[in-house]
């Protein structure tokens, strides 16, 4: 009986080794047969260039100077991302109205510049992890701050609201200020001067922008920027389905935020 048991044990062990060997061989074969996943990340490194779409009309995130050079929070951060990849950053001009079409057409690898997170954009592209939480707040002449404290105060026929076309500011105005007199003004750089000059009363935009505009023109004041009328987040647009590139950008952003690099860039433009 001992001999028979030993023979059975040896046979079983031999079978186990055979199965294990066969399994390992199959895994190795499957791995060798699986093609490498192509990513935009590979194209960027190969080309030596990181192309970033930006509107250039949204301080403090991206602004196109009269000499056509871009500057701002996200312009600096794109330069940091490009440096981490060993490539050069190139800003590709776009507009808020044409942003998604330009991006999905492949004119750039990433889109930046104070881009709000919306579901319609999320249906066409990936977002990076959140860059900033930044809701909508009004900006008015400082003498009128007490007059425009609530959404109900804004949504009156006597209110002359103004918004730039094609983005979330226009969308907010049309949705929440249907009773106000709304002007869609094409230049997001000089739009605030319309309020200062008395040609409009209020613009609802991102709280961070209201703070910067107050710094630029002290006659304009944010209304309760610490209590925005609508919750909002900002992030970068990335190619839909490209998990490799998204994971890299998210990890770069995580390190920039944890090491203090991100906050130093923000403070440079807002303080």
């Amino acid at each position: 009986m001992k001999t028979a048991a030993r023979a059975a044990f040896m046979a079983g062990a031999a079978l186990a080794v055979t199965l294990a060997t066969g399994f390992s061989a199959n895994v190795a074969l499957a791995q060798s047969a699986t093609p490498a996943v192509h990513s935009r990340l590979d194209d960027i490194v190969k080309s030596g260039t990181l192309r970033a779409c930006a509107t250039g009309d949204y301080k403090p995130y991206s602004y196109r100077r009269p000499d056509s050079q871009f500057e701002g929070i996200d312009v600096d951060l794109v330069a940091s991302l490009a440096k981490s990849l060993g490539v050069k950053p190139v800003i590709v001009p776009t507009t808020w109205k044409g942003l998604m079409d330009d991006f999905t057409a492949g004119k750039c690898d990433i889109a930046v510049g104070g881009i709000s997170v919306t579901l319609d954009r999320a249906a066409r592209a990936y977002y990076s992890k959140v860059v900033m939480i930044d809701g909508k707040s009004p900006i008015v002449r400082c003498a009128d701050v007490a007059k425009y404290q609530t959404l109900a105060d804004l949504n009156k026929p006597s209110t002359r609201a103004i918004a730039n076309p094609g983005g979330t500011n226009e969308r907010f105005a049309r949705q929440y200020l249907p009773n106000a007199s709304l002007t869609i003004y094409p230049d997001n750089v000089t739009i605030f001067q319309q309020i200062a000059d008395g040609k409009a009363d209020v613009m609802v935009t991102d709280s961070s922008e209201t703070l910067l505009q107050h710094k630029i023109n002290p006659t304009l004041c944010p209304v309760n920027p610490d209590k925005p009328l609508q919750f909002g987040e900002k992030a970068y647009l990335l190619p839909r389905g490209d998990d490799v590139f998204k994971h890299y950008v998210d990890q770069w952003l995580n390190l920039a935020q944890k090491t203090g690099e991100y906050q130093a860039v923000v403070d440079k433009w807002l303080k």
Side-chain angles (χ1 to χ4, degrees), residues 102-123:
D102 285 347
F103 184 71
T104 56
K107 293 183 179 180
C108 48
D109 306 304
I110 185 172
V112 305
I115 299 174
S116 298
V117 176
T118 64
L119 292 178
D120 56 334
R121 288 172 179 161

Side-chain angles (χ1 to χ4, degrees), residues 93-109:
T94 187
T95 64
W96 290 111
K97 188 174 182 179
L99 172 64
M100 289 307 302
D101 287 340
D102 285 347
F103 184 71
T104 56
K107 293 183 179 180
C108 48
D109 306 304

Side-chain angles (χ1 to χ4, degrees), residues 34-51:
T34 302
V37 176
H38 181 76
S39 168
R40 183 72 63 87
L41 187 66
D42 304 315
D43 297 334
I44 293 167
V45 173
K46 184 177 180 180
S47 69
T49 301
L50 174 66
R51 301 168 303 155

Side-chain angles (χ1 to χ4, degrees), residues 7 10 18 20 26 84 95 125 160 174 178 185 191 198 241 246:
M10 294 301 293
T18 300
N26 288 337
S84 76
T95 64
R160 296 173 300 165
R174 292 195 183 282
Y185 189 81
I191 192 170
K246 173 175 166 52

Side-chain angles (χ1 to χ4, degrees), residues 204-220:
V204 178
T205 185
D206 297 316
S207 297
S208 57
E209 187 173 33
T210 67
L211 294 170
L212 179 69
Q213 290 300 324
H214 174 65
K215 181 179 177 180
I216 295 172
N217 187 343
T219 68
L220 299 178

Side-chain angles (χ1 to χ4, degrees), residues 40-41 44 49-55 74-75 77-82 85 87-94 99-100 102-104 106-113 115 125-129 131 235-240 242 245-246 248-250 252-253:
R40 183 72 63 87
L41 187 66
I44 293 167
T49 301
L50 174 66
R51 301 168 303 155
C53 281
T55 61
D74 284 342
V75 176
L77 289 172
V78 163
S80 171
L81 174 59
L85 290 167
V87 302
K88 294 181 179 180
V90 172
I91 302 298
V92 179
T94 187
L99 172 64
M100 289 307 302
D102 285 347
F103 184 71
T104 56
K107 293 183 179 180
C108 48
D109 306 304
I110 185 172
V112 305
I115 299 174
Y126 271 0
Y127 274 110
S128 69
K129 65 175 292 190
V131 177
Y236 300 146
L237 288 175
L238 300 167
R240 187 173 72 171
D242 195 335
F245 189 29
K246 173 175 166 52
Y248 184 89
V249 172
D250 285 348
W252 159 79
L253 184 56

